[in-house]
Amino acid sequence: DAGVIQSPRHEVTEMGQEVTLRCKPISGHDYLFWYRQTMMRGLELLIYFNNNVPIDDSGMPEDRFSAKMPNASFSTLKIQPSEPRDSAVYFCASSSGTEDSPLHFGNGTRLTVT
Amino acid sequence: DQQVKQNSPSLSVQEGRISILNCDYTNSMFDYFLWYKKYPAEGPTFLISISSIKDKNEDGRFTVFLNKSAKHLSLHIVPSQPGDSAVYFCAATDYNQGGKLIFGQGTELSVKP
């Protein structure tokens, strides 16, 4: 089991550019979550999917953020256009959605927008 | 509106002593609580959990206590070891909401030799 795989590990981009973060969940997990970590707010839930369908996107900051899950093994989080305040570590996590299956996180993507 | 709060951003403890990390929540619908541990440049990893029908759960050196009336939980680490130095996140969920976890801001624990 390779765990949740995220790419890239680091992304540095200029303000106004499009950024795409990628995630491969653990095989067999029906739920996929995107979180953002900042010093002020800790781990914020942005959006989560169940069986590839977005269930709750109330945490997505604004229309500049969008997420897709075209199939059970891949998801993207896109920011367009990016702004300096988007700089953070973005985590993807997956689970089977039961109490005895807590979220498994990837190692995150550290995004820096200059 | 922060539904899960960890009011101590950092904690320093001597090796061998007890570490106590605290967490408060506001949503009475939460029925499952978890602690995650995070090392630098890695994702959070699950540490220990507790259901709302219990008030204590123990796993080796780690014990989580839940006080529902006070909407408060704590993580005790005894004895603390230098390898326990990490950021600890408290999380809560209402499984009627599909298992999404709401996290606190984290507490950075430093265990000094």
Side-chain angles (χ1 to χ4, degrees):
Chain A
D1 181 0
V4 176
I5 300 173
Q6 291 186 248
S7 64
R9 287 300 308 272
H10 302 274
E11 177 78 45
V12 180
T13 190
E14 292 183 346
M15 182 174 65
Q17 296 297 307
E18 176 182 304
V19 174
T20 299
L21 312 181
R22 296 172 175 79
C23 174
K24 177 179 168 55
I26 291 173
S27 176
H29 281 184
D30 297 328
Y31 287 83
L32 183 139
F33 304 80
W34 282 100
Y35 283 87
R36 176 172 69 175
Q37 183 189 6
T38 62
M39 289 296 293
M40 289 297 294
R41 299 180 67 85
L43 282 164
E44 292 179 274
L45 176 65
L46 301 177
I47 185 172
Y48 79 97
F49 296 82
N50 180 23
N51 291 323
N52 314 337
V53 177
I55 302 300
D56 183 351
D57 65 354
S58 60
M60 295 287 260
E62 23 188 298
D63 292 345
R64 297 185 298 105
F65 286 69
S66 63
K68 295 181 180 180
M69 192 165 185
N71 57 62
S73 59
F74 185 65
S75 176
T76 59
L77 178 67
K78 183 180 293 186
I79 308 172
Q80 180 184 24
S82 58
E83 297 183 3
R85 59 192 168 124
D86 301 331
S87 298
V89 182
Y90 291 81
F91 288 101
C92 176
S94 69
S95 80
S96 62
T98 59
E99 277 194 3
D100 57 356
S101 173
L103 267 61
H104 296 260
F105 283 82
N107 285 330
T109 296
R110 179 173 293 278
L111 173 65
T112 303
V113 184
T114 61
Chain B
D1 178 27
Q2 199 82 13
Q3 295 186 68
V4 178
K5 297 181 182 180
Q6 295 174 255
N7 292 317
S8 298
S10 62
L11 175 67
S12 183
V13 172
Q14 205 69 29
E15 181 179 6
R17 305 296 290 268
I18 185 171
S19 296
I20 300 176
L21 296 96
N22 294 301
C23 178
D24 298 293
Y25 62 96
T26 58
N27 189 340
S28 58
M29 296 301 293
F30 288 148
D31 54 14
Y32 201 69
F33 305 88
L34 306 90
W35 285 92
Y36 278 75
K37 178 179 180 179
K38 184 185 179 303
Y39 291 118
E42 295 182 9
T45 55
F46 170 72
L47 186 59
I48 192 169
S49 63
I50 188 167
S51 166
S52 60
I53 63 174
K54 296 184 178 181
D55 55 16
K56 177 182 175 181
N57 187 28
E58 191 172 352
D59 184 2
R61 297 184 298 114
F62 302 91
T63 303
V64 56
F65 294 92
L66 175 63
N67 183 334
K68 284 184 63 179
S69 61
K71 293 190 177 66
H72 177 83
L73 65 156
S74 61
L75 174 68
H76 293 211
I77 307 174
V78 181
S80 302
Q81 300 174 353
D84 296 329
S85 297
V87 177
Y88 289 79
F89 289 98
C90 168
T93 186
D94 166 11
Y95 267 91
N96 290 324
Q97 294 291 320
K100 69 178 184 181
L101 294 184
I102 307 301
F103 284 86
Q105 303 95 313
T107 297
E108 183 171 10
L109 173 66
S110 176
V111 180
K112 301 189 182 303

